Amino acid sequence: MIRTALIAAATLLTAAPAFAADDASLALTFDTSARTGTIMVALYDASTYNGGRPVRVAQVDVAAGQTAATFEGLPAGDYGVKAFHDLNGNGRMDTNPFGMPVEPYAFSNNAVGNMGPAGWDRAKFTVSGATAQTISIR
């Protein structure tokens, strides 16, 4: 019985630091020349970046003077950001007849895609503790 209690206590003690280390935050600042509309932000992990649901989303009201989004309580790990500047406020990224975006967009690490969105390998970054990144919307 004592052995079981000690194993349980040891498990709790070793689990506590891991939980504290996983409590991370991400502060994103967006650099954009437009002062209207809203920046739509989607945060992904490795399993969702290429077509899954984002793990978190945010809206940055540029018209109201906002330029940043913060995600609290994230598990430490690798993430990628996809964002676009919804200039006309219709809630979606507008494209031309060929499917090319006509509103400004960006990816974490200011990654650039090749004939499409930036890939995970270019956009991923590690979130551990308090992490910050500035993304240029173009």
Side-chain angles (χ1 to χ4, degrees), residues 9-120:
T11 302
L12 288 174
L13 289 174
T14 58
F19 176 75
D22 284 349
D23 190 22
S25 65
L26 172 62
L28 299 171
T29 302
F30 294 93
D31 180 24
T32 180
S33 58
R35 296 293 169 228
T36 61
T38 303
I39 297 173
M40 310 296 265
V41 184
L43 180 68
Y44 297 89
D45 62 16
S47 68
T48 60
Y49 186 81
N50 291 315
R53 294 182 62 135
V55 295
R56 302 272 181 96
V57 296
Q59 294 182 8
V60 178
D61 189 352
V62 177
Q66 296 177 358
T67 59
T70 302
F71 298 103
E72 300 284 344
L74 293 171
D78 290 339
Y79 292 91
V81 172
K82 296 178 183 178
F84 75 93
H85 196 150
D86 184 13
L87 296 171
N88 60 8
N90 66 357
R92 62 183 178 86
M93 176 181 259
D94 294 329
T95 59
N96 68 17
F98 301 106
M100 300 296 294
V102 296
E103 291 183 300
Y105 60 93
F107 303 95
S108 44
N109 294 333
N110 291 309
V112 178
N114 185 13
M115 300 299 289
W120 173 252

